Amino acid sequence: LSRKMGEIEAESELDREKKAQRFRQMRAKVAFMESELVRMQKEHRILEREKATLEFALHESKQDLDRRAKIVEKNTRRLKELDTIAERAVSRGEGLAAERDAAQA
């Protein structure tokens, strides 16, 4: 009976050791996961800041492109107006030359 009790106690001690070992392993896993979570949260904050910076730069670039497009449109209209003025001047010049030639003849 005492031998049987000794075996039972030895098995209980072994079970306690296994449980304690599993508990330590789980605690180590939890500690690792917590540190990974903290690291990922820091990385997430950094990425969020970078995203905000890039979105702001994109917005600024779009506004700059819009301003430049308006300038191009304005310059294109002005060039068309100048072409029209030049065509009229050439026409008038040709007409005056014809009148001069007719008056000289």
Side-chain angles (χ1 to χ4, degrees):
L1 182 64
S2 69
R3 192 181 84 203
K4 191 68 170 168
M5 289 294 285
E7 288 175 10
I8 292 173
E9 285 179 14
E11 287 176 10
S12 304
E13 183 62 29
L14 187 59
D15 285 345
R16 280 194 295 274
E17 287 176 19
K18 284 181 181 179
K19 286 179 183 176
Q21 178 65 25
R22 269 201 320 255
F23 179 75
R24 286 190 297 274
Q25 288 173 343
M26 291 302 283
R27 197 169 41 192
K29 278 184 182 180
V30 167
F32 174 75
M33 293 170 98
E34 287 173 342
S35 69
E36 281 296 292
L37 177 62
V38 168
R39 184 189 62 77
M40 288 177 171
Q41 287 171 334
K42 286 179 183 176
E43 188 174 326
H44 178 72
R45 285 191 298 272
I46 290 168
L47 291 173
E48 284 293 323
R49 281 194 300 269
E50 288 177 6
K51 178 185 170 192
T53 300
L54 290 172
E55 285 175 343
F56 178 75
L58 177 62
H59 177 71
E60 289 290 308
S61 295
K62 283 180 179 178
Q63 284 183 334
D64 187 51
L65 284 174
D66 289 344
R67 283 192 296 272
R68 289 173 187 244
K70 287 177 184 173
I71 290 169
V72 167
E73 287 175 22
K74 179 181 163 190
N75 289 342
T76 302
R77 282 194 307 273
R78 185 69 182 135
L79 281 173
K80 287 179 183 176
E81 291 169 4
L82 291 174
D83 278 345
T84 302
I85 291 169
E87 287 173 10
R88 288 180 191 154
V90 168
S91 263
R92 270 187 263 139
E94 288 172 352
L96 291 174
E99 285 178 20
R100 184 194 67 216
D101 291 345
Q104 287 176 354

